Amino acid sequence: MTKPLSNRSRHARRPESGPARDPMQEFANRIIAELERGVKPWVRPWDPEKAGGPQAPFNPVTGKRYHGINVLILGMDMRAFQTGDPRWMTYQQAQGKDWQVKKGERSTTIFFAKSYEVENEASDEETKTVSVLRHFAVFHASQIDGIPAYEAATIEEAPLAKPEASDIILRNSGAVIRIGGDRAFYSPSTDHIQMPPEQAFSGPLGFAVTALHELAHWTGHPTRLNRDLQDRFGSAAYAMEELRAELASAFVANEIGIPTDIPHHASYIASWIKALKDDKREIFRAAADAQRIADMVLGFHPGYATVVQKELREALAAADS
């Protein structure tokens, strides 16, 4: 007589459930779908009533801000903008605080690079360091019961949000800014930023947003972050540099509480779509470069240096505990 299968055996004999998920491809597809609709998904609707404080996403348990691709992923979620609450955390972190993710809530996938030492077969070096992108699930504060209400930093606590923040950054950068003409651009050959007069913009904020965008391009000079800026307008490489400056502008704008949208030529979006379809990792590389750009730009504000140093102290204290 044949014995009935144990629960374990039954489970072992279940057919496989299709191909494994590819979160990187899923996110690239999401970006592509939005761009094909003519929407730049990293651009948030800007509400002056809700502006004035940093909107960059952060983890309230660790106290750390999210970086790179995760700023883009979490910034695309309207919950943070609608609630004015930029807090995100894992299920386990919420539980550790005796907070509870609401039943039925769906998580958002974010990514972290993890470095490993592996055997190096290609050279005399015994080992080499490789970076592997891992993904995690996080929830927005509005999806969690028991979490205290969010209290936004005051202007005094968040010096980056003061109206003069963009002026301080531009002045401290030392960038040569020339006023005149009807176009805004950065010239690698002369290493200067050209800006139309302020009255050509909708107001001081419009001038600031555009100037900071051109400052993002300025960081690519060989004496700074050394990106290739030699390609001409209309080329795919030129469009990819524009994507990096675009994302960096959004990262900076979210930190200092100003609009994120920069008008662009339609050909850029077509180039971005093609690049992302060709390689799902391109949006991740662009976001990583954009974070480096944003860090350099924001680093010209003394308030940002204070924030970074505070995060470093907290990280070292956590590592020692």
Side-chain angles (χ1 to χ4, degrees):
M1 182 174 178
T2 305
K3 292 182 179 181
L5 292 172
S6 67
N7 287 340
R8 185 174 179 181
S9 300
R10 289 193 193 102
H11 180 73
R13 294 190 180 189
R14 285 177 185 167
E16 294 187 5
S17 57
R21 282 187 57 203
D22 184 347
M24 289 181 69
Q25 187 64 64
E26 289 173 5
F27 182 66
N29 290 344
R30 182 181 170 195
I31 295 284
I32 291 166
E34 291 294 296
L35 291 175
E36 286 181 333
R37 292 197 307 116
V39 175
K40 295 184 292 186
W42 47 85
V43 174
R44 286 177 166 182
W46 192 72
D47 183 349
E49 297 299 319
K50 294 183 179 180
Q55 292 297 311
F58 75 96
N59 186 310
V61 179
T62 65
K64 294 180 180 178
R65 292 169 301 120
Y66 292 97
H67 294 277
I69 195 69
N70 295 328
V71 178
L72 180 54
I73 293 170
L74 302 178
M76 285 169 55
D77 192 299
M78 286 301 295
R79 279 173 291 208
F81 183 80
Q82 291 168 343
T83 62
D85 190 334
R87 296 175 296 172
W88 296 81
M89 73 210 76
T90 67
Y91 184 93
Q92 291 79 8
Q93 287 171 332
Q95 278 196 320
K97 289 287 190 178
D98 292 327
W99 306 332
Q100 183 59 52
V101 174
K102 298 173 185 176
K103 187 176 181 180
E105 292 288 351
R106 298 185 64 181
S107 65
T108 299
T109 301
I110 62 172
F111 299 84
F112 283 100
K114 182 78 172 178
S115 296
Y116 296 93
E117 292 288 330
V118 299
E119 185 177 350
N120 190 355
E121 299 176 353
S123 75
D124 294 334
E125 297 288 336
E126 291 186 2
T127 62
K128 64 179 179 180
T129 302
V130 297
S131 184
V132 177
L133 205 60
R134 300 175 60 188
H135 60 274
F136 294 86
V138 294
F139 294 87
H140 183 252
S142 64
Q143 298 175 285
I144 299 170
D145 284 328
I147 186 170
Y150 175 61
E151 294 185 8
T154 64
I155 290 294
E156 289 71 26
E157 295 168 330
L160 280 169
K162 292 182 179 178
E164 65 271 18
S166 58
D167 293 336
I168 292 171
I169 289 171
L170 290 166
R171 182 172 63 251
N172 288 348
S173 72
V176 176
I177 301 176
R178 300 174 185 169
I179 306 298
D182 58 0
R183 287 196 310 128
F185 61 88
Y186 166 66
S187 170
S189 60
T190 57
D191 192 23
H192 87 277
I193 293 170
Q194 189 72 36
M195 290 288 295
E198 190 169 309
Q199 57 267 30
F201 296 86
S202 56
L205 274 180
F207 181 92
V209 170
T210 303
L212 289 173
H213 177 83
E214 299 308 330
L215 191 68
H217 288 302
W218 172 90
T219 67
H221 191 271
T223 62
R224 298 174 201 115
L225 296 181
N226 193 25
R227 296 188 307 279
D228 185 0
L229 303 177
Q230 300 308 311
D231 294 283
R232 303 180 70 83
F233 176 82
S235 69
Y238 188 101
M240 289 303 98
E241 163 64 17
E242 196 62 35
L243 176 59
R244 282 152 173 78
E246 166 94 10
L247 293 176
S249 298
F251 294 172
V252 170
N254 285 335
E255 285 281 2
I256 67 177
I258 63 175
T260 59
D261 197 11
I262 304 290
H264 270 136
H265 198 282
S267 63
Y268 288 151
I269 291 183
S271 295
W272 297 343
I273 291 170
K274 183 181 185 307
L276 268 58
K277 285 184 174 180
D278 289 344
D279 183 357
K280 66 184 179 184
R281 292 180 178 271
E282 179 57 27
I283 189 64
F284 290 80
R285 286 192 290 266
D289 286 344
Q291 185 65 64
R292 285 187 280 272
I293 294 169
D295 284 343
M296 184 174 194
V297 169
L298 290 166
F300 293 121
H301 194 297
Y304 186 73
T306 301
V307 170
V308 171
Q309 290 166 3
K310 179 174 180 288
E311 285 185 356
L312 180 58
R313 288 195 301 270
E314 291 173 346
L316 291 173
D320 292 338
S321 62

